[in-house]
Amino acid sequence: MAAGPTYRTDRIVPEKRRAAASFGSRTDIGCLRKDNEDSLVVADPLFAVADGMGGHDSGEVASEIAIRTLLEFAPDYADGEVLGTAVVEANRAVLQAVADGTGKPGMGTTMTAAVLEGERLVIAHVGDSRAYLFYQGKLQQITRDHSLMADMIEAGQLTVEEARVHPSRSIITRALGSDPNVLPDIYEINVETGDRLLICTDGLSGMLTDDLIEKELLQEPDPQLCANNLVNAALAAGGHDNVTVVVAEVSGLSEPRQEKSVRRAKVSAAFIVLAFFMVLAVAIGGFYYYTQNSFYLAENNGRVAVYRGLPGSLFGIRISDLESMTDIKVESLQPGVANRLQEGIRVDDLDRAQELIAEYRDSTRSAATPERDPSGGGGSDAQGSAASGGSRSGG
Ligand code: CA
């Protein structure tokens, strides 16, 4: 039966991108037509139908070109703008096919395309195929038909029932393949797990009322069986047109969200590690700068020496270098100064270090003169001076 140009694909979608929807689809030539001009694509998270027109086999060419182009350009995430761009590309491809002779003048197609990612649904729509949402047992039409009947119903000139049997019921006001500037309507909807998306050509919605379609959805929860039942019901009602149905259930919400939160967590962890190393680098740089501008006096082989850096060690590593040696013997200095030199006497800069060294030198000379009088005033003064310099600088 479904010998028409049904275009199905198992486009490879990365596992992490899969919206985890369960879905089903079916297309049928119907009871009266010689060709099936409908095309569809079911490539989770992309779902679409296209209803070709033009006669003499050209409708099926138009709908298939449109679906192939959609498949090429559609996003694998719920972005209405990008999906709309893909439908614009499909229009361009159909027009191009007419221009280069691949297709026939006057051919065109509808297109209702959806990307269902978790609980986010986006739809791009041109023509009178339809997208419905089955929500808490109620069927709601999402898309607005681009058709003369829809315009007349909105204008209050017709009822839905009158439109169903109106002689002009197949006139559509917007299609792919006629206007190079055609723009699709874009719908962006938050849906819920358990909702079902129904996309169909007018071979279904023209044969069954919304109430009957709703009844089929209520009776059969399995998307594929439901798609079968809907097509069978359209055929039982007369099957005047090609009929194509896609049913996709909103499910598997937790997976994409979890994946996103894991990714966010990884990013956060990476950022913290990066920030830690940046702070560490700044700290090491700052510490290095600090040590290179710090000086102290200490004993080296019994003599006073000047060191660049800090006394002691950090994690067992010396953090100072010998800057210069003096000829001043530590043993010749006052005991208090000698003791302090064991720990290191920190000074503000090299100038202050030279001042202290000069004072030590003076103290040893004056101490040497009254050698037999170690309590002499010169020595005491020198010690006091040295001690004060050391304590001021070293804290
Ligand atoms: Ca049709």
Side-chain angles (χ1 to χ4, degrees):
M1 286 289 278
T6 301
Y7 187 70
R8 285 171 180 271
T9 178
D10 288 315
R11 179 174 63 150
I12 296 167
V13 179
E15 199 59 37
K16 62 178 181 172
R17 274 295 195 193
R18 297 186 78 87
S22 58
F23 47 85
S25 64
R26 190 174 158 199
T27 186
D28 196 286
I29 194 170
C31 303
L32 304 179
R33 297 292 174 90
K34 291 190 176 116
D35 302 296
N36 189 345
E37 297 183 316
D38 290 355
S39 292
L40 71 110
V41 63
V42 175
D44 182 18
L46 176 68
F47 305 95
V49 302
D51 181 349
M53 65 204 77
H56 307 291
D57 300 344
S58 61
E60 62 193 63
V61 174
S63 67
E64 186 168 344
I65 289 170
I67 287 286
R68 281 185 182 279
T69 310
L70 174 76
L71 193 51
E72 188 182 341
F73 288 94
D76 58 3
Y77 49 93
D79 186 315
E81 195 178 329
V82 179
L83 185 61
T85 304
V87 172
V88 168
E89 283 295 329
N91 182 51
R92 190 196 52 73
V94 174
L95 286 166
Q96 181 61 41
V98 173
D100 67 18
T102 315
K104 290 175 182 159
M107 75 175 188
T109 183
T110 71
M111 175 161 282
T112 301
V115 171
L116 179 58
E117 184 191 28
E119 289 189 332
R120 189 78 181 139
L121 171 65
V122 297
I123 293 168
H125 166 75
V126 171
D128 68 347
S129 299
R130 288 180 179 177
Y132 290 93
L133 188 67
F134 185 66
Y135 166 70
Q136 292 188 344
K138 293 289 172 193
L139 189 71
Q140 229 180 355
Q141 186 177 337
I142 300 169
T143 51
R144 180 193 175 278
D145 294 349
H146 299 139
S147 68
L148 181 63
M149 293 300 100
D151 291 348
M152 291 177 75
I153 291 167
E154 277 184 17
Q157 297 166 336
L158 279 179
T159 65
V160 173
E161 285 67 33
E162 287 167 342
R164 191 171 288 284
V165 293
H166 198 281
S168 300
R169 62 183 178 275
S170 58
I171 294 176
I172 62 174
T173 53
R174 209 189 297 182
L176 303 186
S178 54
D179 177 0
N181 299 313
V182 75
L183 287 175
D185 290 343
I186 305 293
Y187 301 85
E188 302 190 342
I189 304 164
N190 290 318
V191 291
E192 288 181 10
T193 297
D195 292 354
R196 271 179 281 168
L197 167 71
L198 166 66
I199 310 176
C200 63
T201 57
D202 67 340
L204 181 79
S205 53
M207 299 307 301
L208 302 180
T209 63
D210 285 4
D211 285 349
L212 283 172
I213 295 172
E214 183 182 281
K215 200 173 137 198
E216 295 293 342
L217 283 156
L218 266 173
Q219 284 176 350
E220 180 52 67
D222 180 81
Q224 182 57 61
L225 295 178
C226 186
N228 293 346
N229 291 351
L230 284 165
V231 169
N232 288 338
L235 298 177
H240 296 169
D241 197 358
N242 309 141
V243 53
T244 300
V245 172
V246 174
V247 178
E249 186 175 313
V250 180
S251 61
L253 168 70
S254 60
E255 223 171 301
R257 283 217 176 145
Q258 201 175 22
E259 193 262 332
K260 277 174 190 163
S261 67
V262 166
R263 190 192 302 140
R264 204 177 298 127
K266 278 180 185 166
V267 168
S268 304
F271 178 76
I272 288 167
V273 168
L274 178 67
F276 171 76
F277 280 109
M278 284 172 72
V279 168
L280 189 64
V282 168
I284 288 171
F287 183 72
Y288 179 75
Y289 178 81
Y290 177 65
T291 58
Q292 289 306 295
N293 289 279
S294 298
F295 301 92
Y296 67 97
L297 304 180
E299 186 257 337
N300 183 329
N301 283 328
R303 294 175 188 277
V304 176
V306 180
Y307 287 86
R308 181 188 293 269
L310 299 172
S313 63
L314 190 68
F315 306 123
I317 301 167
R318 258 184 57 199
I319 46 175
S320 61
D321 289 312
L322 182 63
E323 179 76 13
S324 62
M325 286 294 295
T326 71
D327 55 356
I328 302 168
K329 291 180 180 173
V330 173
E331 64 181 15
S332 66
L333 298 171
Q334 290 295 321
V337 175
N339 283 342
R340 289 166 53 78
L341 279 169
Q342 296 303 316
E343 296 172 8
I345 298 171
R346 292 180 60 188
V347 291
D348 290 337
D349 50 35
L350 274 178
D351 287 346
R352 180 58 192 153
Q354 293 308 324
E355 282 176 34
L356 270 183
I357 287 165
E359 286 174 22
Y360 293 164
R361 188 166 282 123
D362 286 348
S363 77
T364 56
R365 279 180 195 141
S366 49
T369 313
E371 196 170 5
R372 285 171 298 273
D373 182 11
S375 63
S380 294
D381 287 351
Q383 189 202 355
S385 182
S388 99
S391 73
R392 188 179 66 236
S393 299

